[in-house]
Amino acid sequence: MTTSIIGIGQTQVGEHWDVNLRHLAWQAIEAALDDARTTNIDALYVGNMLAGTSSGQEHLGALIADYSGLRGVEAVVIEAGEASGAAAVRQATMAVMSGQIQTALVVGVEKATDQTGKEGLKSQTTSLDAEYETIHGLTPAAVAGLMMRRYMHEFGVEVADFAGFSVNAHANGKANPLAMYRNLLKAEKFGMAPLVADPVNLFDAAPIGDGAAAVIITASDRARGMVEKPIQIAGSAIATDAFALHDRKNILKLEAVEKSTKRALAQAGLNINDVNLFEIHDGFTIMSALALEAMGLADFGEGYKLANEENIGRNGKTPISTFGGLKARGNPAGATGVYQIVEVASQLRGTAGDNQVAGAKVGLAQNIGGTGGTAVTHILRTV
Amino acid sequence: MTTSIIGIGQTQVGEHWDVNLRHLAWQAIEAALDDARTTNIDALYVGNMLAGTSSGQEHLGALIADYSGLRGVEAVVIEAGEASGAAAVRQATMAVMSGQIQTALVVGVEKATDQTGKEGLKSQTTSLDAEYETIHGLTPAAVAGLMMRRYMHEFGVEVADFAGFSVNAHANGKANPLAMYRNLLKAEKFGMAPLVADPVNLFDAAPIGDGAAAVIITASDRARGMVEKPIQIAGSAIATDAFALHDRKNILKLEAVEKSTKRALAQAGLNINDVNLFEIHDGFTIMSALALEAMGLADFGEGYKLANEENIGRNGKTPISTFGGLKARGNPAGATGVYQIVEVASQLRGTAGDNQVAGAKVGLAQNIGGTGGTAVTHILRTV
């Protein structure tokens, strides 16, 4: 049996100073319930990473269920660092496949701005190894810097070679009314941005933002009778890798990405070349290059060569980050994975507006926790 | 299809100053793998509530998988406040029932002593409503105090009437070598303890501790060929309630306990009177009284009357907290629910030693988050 998405919802990504976490979650949930034209929900899966440290609030399952008018339903939080959102979707699919849950609602939500400055950064580093990485001052940007520097050294690549990833993200973000950044970025401006963690600069790093996205999932045979265009979750897989960067066999190989992609494609009975678009975890440009390589879309050390419009653009061979990705849509940590799945579903429904990839029938969404310790890959398709 | 437990493991509950979180988890995992005589694990479910705030460490799924020699497996954290442990078991059962996962490992782990004093208390209150309860100074003991005071007022009960719950927990804890407190408690000493949050006193409140417990779960038909005495998970249910105490219709009725118990019993095809022992969430004595009432073992307002050896003792009619419960075994927050399930499995295997309930064939484990916002109930049985 497979599951299908019958409802999607999402909020603007940005700095929502006027809305609290539960209300932000509700906005996405309300949109998804409206979209699916149902209020019959049996279980709620919340994807969240930062609320405990940023808002002093754990136990979001019962809290958001209650606030959203779903008091009483089964509800839990699923956490896997920045991959929490997609990991929550994965649990929801299995709950439906088990026969224990008929209809599951997944909401990814993050209210990162409940905490700012140094404390905010501290929250965001909790997906790294506190005892062997964070303690030495490493942050998400710093570990990305280590990976990028090694890549540049190994393959003789310059910072400017990564610009195309950010340029593409901003071009797509400009078309997305819910994106955090809707300004175009010129390649020549990329290298002029202030450094965050050498060689990672400001235009290389995705911004953390507030946001919530929701999907409603039920069995595929049931979904067909409920909505006009259910989107099938044809593949769903989580894989892990060595947790800390220094324990990897090769810090330039994202093994969890490779494994989870293979598993998800095998479930779907598809090949990577059957996929029409890719929502990848472009928190830093180096992650885009490494993910394209790990998925087999580029040879090892050559992923950066795809960073141009002919390849990764909306009308290219391998469209990525079609709504702006983490870089321009924004990265609401534990909500990001659900945004990606909402975006792929929009593309496959053909309702992506100015962001539409023409004729998209199969899409991939990939959410990464930490530096690649966790990777969650979903394959969605039209039926 | 149902699932069964093929391996169990647990560590001493206490103050483990010399062990870090990942190693504590590993100790329980190693014991469970040894017990099941297998190392073939397809997915890891981590139950944890405090690590983000206490240890600056989220993303424990990949971290503990890696540290435990399970690098690469699917791994996530399940969080539902103090009910995280049992919620993780629930997700594991559904993953196995879905056919996506053959063998799942669940570890509940908590290293509460990574943070002490005021900051430690702050972490422990993250299961309450940060914006409507915690902000006014409420703590877990304070909300229990509100419930207990109301109960005493409503039913004309004295503090001393609750003593029997703690006396029983300590009698059982004395027999459990892994318990945090192994001293007997005399009823006449109960009322002399210093107040924590009037009317809750020190002997009324369960101690937070460090600890880890693990179970290995697979399909029941497979389990029979693997171990001598698999323990069937005959029922598994999560229910939620109004999140904050002030939103409940009646703060003395634990609706999530009632709902999850009914659902779990219905799945098992059993009646509450078929259950031979109950590992309940006795974080405070008032919670024991209210849970017994919500499960239908006592009439409303009469749960406290069961607080004596003839009823709740190991040889009584309704044995509870048979290894000491949260009060004497200790309460390692997000690990507690897994301890309860390990304890029920030990009882049903007949390997509970001095804690054995003679002839136990069906056991119930019940884990509560917050003041009852989440309740997770499992029914285990011999086959």
Side-chain angles (χ1 to χ4, degrees):
Chain A
M1 117 175 229
T2 67
T3 60
S4 289
I5 294 172
I6 57 169
I8 57 176
Q10 53 183 336
T11 74
Q12 181 91 36
V13 181
E15 299 185 6
H16 293 292
W17 301 104
D18 57 334
V19 182
N20 63 1
L21 186 141
R22 65 193 74 183
H23 197 74
L24 197 57
W26 160 242
Q27 289 176 346
I29 289 171
E30 184 183 32
L33 292 171
D34 280 354
D35 183 48
R37 293 168 196 256
T38 184
T39 52
N40 288 324
I41 300 295
D42 303 301
L44 172 68
Y45 295 87
V46 179
N48 176 270
M49 168 186 168
L50 302 173
T53 46
S54 287
S55 317
Q57 184 69 70
E58 301 284 1
H59 201 188
L60 289 180
L63 174 70
I64 293 173
D66 186 13
Y67 190 76
S68 301
L70 302 170
R71 189 180 289 181
V73 300
E74 177 159 356
V76 294
V77 174
I78 311 293
E79 193 275 327
E82 295 87 347
S84 299
V89 173
R90 165 72 172 153
Q91 301 315 308
T93 61
M94 290 197 288
V96 171
M97 290 167 88
S98 77
Q100 294 273 299
I101 301 296
Q102 194 169 61
T103 306
L105 172 64
V106 183
V107 66
V109 59
E110 213 68 84
K111 188 67 178 41
T113 57
D114 273 4
Q115 202 177 42
T116 55
K118 210 171 170 182
E119 289 301 306
L121 183 59
K122 210 169 144 187
S123 293
Q124 292 157 30
T125 60
T126 55
S127 64
L128 303 180
D129 192 320
E131 295 177 356
Y132 293 90
E133 294 182 323
T134 315
I135 201 169
H136 298 299
L138 287 173
T139 63
V143 285
L146 293 175
M147 296 166 89
M148 188 169 172
R149 176 63 72 195
R150 181 75 205 169
Y151 190 92
M152 289 164 64
H153 169 79
E154 198 80 45
F155 305 117
V157 179
E158 304 292 325
V159 167
D161 292 323
F162 295 90
F165 289 119
S166 290
V167 170
N168 174 66
H170 278 262
N172 291 336
K174 189 173 167 53
N176 175 9
L178 299 178
M180 191 161 174
Y181 291 139
R182 301 191 61 194
N183 59 311
L184 288 178
L185 177 67
K186 289 182 182 173
E188 52 271 29
K189 284 279 177 82
F190 182 79
M192 295 161 66
L195 283 175
V196 179
D198 189 9
V200 169
N201 69 39
L202 194 65
F203 291 161
D204 190 293
I208 295 288
D210 303 329
V215 295
I216 300 175
I217 295 168
T218 195
S220 294
D221 52 5
R222 217 172 142 262
R224 276 186 285 275
M226 292 179 75
V227 294
E228 206 182 326
K229 275 198 178 182
I231 301 299
Q232 189 192 29
I233 300 177
S236 173
I238 300 183
T240 55
D241 193 357
F243 192 73
L245 210 51
H246 58 255
D247 281 333
R248 305 261 166 85
K249 285 178 209 148
N250 185 333
I251 66 167
L252 301 180
K253 292 207 172 181
L254 298 177
E255 289 193 11
V257 166
E258 186 185 336
K259 277 184 196 162
S260 66
T261 303
K262 280 185 179 164
R263 286 186 206 161
L265 284 169
Q267 285 171 26
L270 293 171
N271 186 289
I272 192 76
N273 299 315
D274 297 324
V275 182
N276 304 125
L277 71 124
F278 302 81
E279 291 306 326
I280 63 173
H281 198 91
D282 58 341
F284 301 93
T285 57
I286 180 66
M287 295 304 281
S288 297
L290 298 184
L292 290 168
E293 296 171 18
M295 288 193 288
L297 290 164
D299 285 341
F300 185 47
E302 302 199 342
Y304 73 94
K305 293 183 181 169
L306 300 182
N308 52 61
E309 205 181 332
E310 307 86 79
N311 281 296
I312 59 173
R314 285 206 293 284
N315 302 311
K317 295 173 209 158
T318 310
I320 68 170
S321 308
T322 68
F323 279 86
L326 280 67
K327 179 65 194 81
R329 177 240 295 127
N331 177 19
T336 291
V338 186
Y339 271 95
Q340 294 174 312
I341 286 168
V342 165
E343 289 163 353
V344 173
S346 295
Q347 290 284 6
L348 303 185
R349 284 179 174 186
T351 56
D354 291 343
N355 295 89
Q356 188 67 48
V357 171
K361 289 194 163 58
V362 178
L364 177 148
Q366 187 168 82
N367 198 195
I368 293 178
T371 51
T374 300
V376 189
T377 304
H378 282 92
I379 305 287
L380 272 54
R381 66 186 301 173
T382 54
V383 280
Chain B
M1 120 176 228
T2 67
T3 60
S4 289
I5 294 171
I6 57 168
I8 57 176
Q10 52 183 336
T11 73
Q12 183 90 36
V13 180
E15 299 184 8
H16 292 292
W17 301 103
D18 57 335
V19 182
N20 64 359
L21 186 141
R22 66 193 75 183
H23 197 74
L24 198 57
W26 160 243
Q27 289 175 347
I29 288 171
E30 183 183 34
L33 292 170
D34 280 353
D35 184 46
R37 295 169 195 257
T38 186
T39 53
N40 289 323
I41 299 296
D42 304 300
L44 172 68
Y45 296 87
V46 178
N48 176 271
M49 167 185 167
L50 302 173
T53 45
S54 287
S55 316
Q57 184 69 69
E58 300 284 0
H59 201 189
L60 288 181
L63 174 70
I64 293 173
D66 186 15
Y67 189 77
S68 302
L70 302 170
R71 190 181 289 181
V73 300
E74 176 159 355
V76 293
V77 174
I78 311 294
E79 194 275 326
E82 296 87 348
S84 299
V89 172
R90 165 74 171 151
Q91 300 315 309
T93 60
M94 289 197 288
V96 171
M97 290 168 88
S98 76
Q100 294 273 299
I101 301 296
Q102 193 169 61
T103 306
L105 172 64
V106 183
V107 66
V109 59
E110 213 68 82
K111 189 65 178 43
T113 58
D114 273 4
Q115 202 178 43
T116 56
K118 210 173 170 180
E119 288 301 306
L121 183 60
K122 212 170 142 187
S123 293
Q124 292 156 31
T125 59
T126 55
S127 64
L128 304 181
D129 192 320
E131 294 176 357
Y132 293 90
E133 294 181 324
T134 315
I135 202 169
H136 298 298
L138 287 173
T139 63
V143 285
L146 293 175
M147 295 166 90
M148 188 168 171
R149 175 64 71 196
R150 182 74 205 170
Y151 190 92
M152 290 164 65
H153 169 79
E154 198 80 42
F155 305 116
V157 179
E158 304 292 323
V159 168
D161 292 322
F162 294 91
F165 289 118
S166 291
V167 169
N168 174 66
H170 277 262
N172 291 337
K174 189 172 168 53
N176 176 8
L178 300 178
M180 190 162 174
Y181 291 139
R182 302 192 59 195
N183 59 310
L184 287 178
L185 177 68
K186 289 182 180 171
E188 52 272 30
K189 285 279 174 82
F190 182 80
M192 295 160 66
L195 283 175
V196 178
D198 189 8
V200 169
N201 68 40
L202 194 65
F203 292 161
D204 191 291
I208 295 288
D210 303 330
V215 295
I216 300 175
I217 295 168
T218 195
S220 294
D221 51 6
R222 215 171 144 264
R224 276 187 285 274
M226 292 180 73
V227 294
E228 208 183 325
K229 275 198 179 182
I231 301 300
Q232 189 191 31
I233 300 177
S236 173
I238 300 183
T240 55
D241 194 357
F243 192 73
L245 210 51
H246 57 254
D247 280 333
R248 305 260 165 86
K249 284 178 213 148
N250 185 332
I251 66 166
L252 301 181
K253 293 206 173 180
L254 298 177
E255 288 193 12
V257 166
E258 187 184 336
K259 275 184 196 161
S260 64
T261 304
K262 279 185 180 164
R263 285 186 206 162
L265 284 168
Q267 285 171 26
L270 293 171
N271 187 288
I272 192 75
N273 299 314
D274 297 324
V275 182
N276 304 125
L277 70 121
F278 302 81
E279 291 305 326
I280 63 172
H281 198 92
D282 58 339
F284 301 94
T285 58
I286 181 66
M287 295 303 281
S288 297
L290 298 184
L292 290 168
E293 295 171 18
M295 289 192 287
L297 290 163
D299 285 340
F300 186 48
E302 301 199 342
Y304 73 94
K305 293 183 182 170
L306 300 182
N308 53 59
E309 207 182 330
E310 307 87 76
N311 282 296
I312 59 172
R314 285 204 295 285
N315 303 311
K317 294 173 209 159
T318 310
I320 68 169
S321 308
T322 68
F323 279 85
L326 280 67
K327 180 65 194 82
R329 178 241 294 126
N331 177 18
T336 291
V338 187
Y339 271 96
Q340 294 175 313
I341 287 168
V342 165
E343 290 164 353
V344 172
S346 295
Q347 289 285 6
L348 302 186
R349 284 178 173 187
T351 57
D354 291 345
N355 295 89
Q356 187 66 49
V357 171
K361 289 195 166 56
V362 178
L364 178 149
Q366 188 167 84
N367 198 194
I368 294 177
T371 51
T374 300
V376 189
T377 303
H378 283 91
I379 305 287
L380 274 55
R381 65 185 301 174
T382 55
V383 280

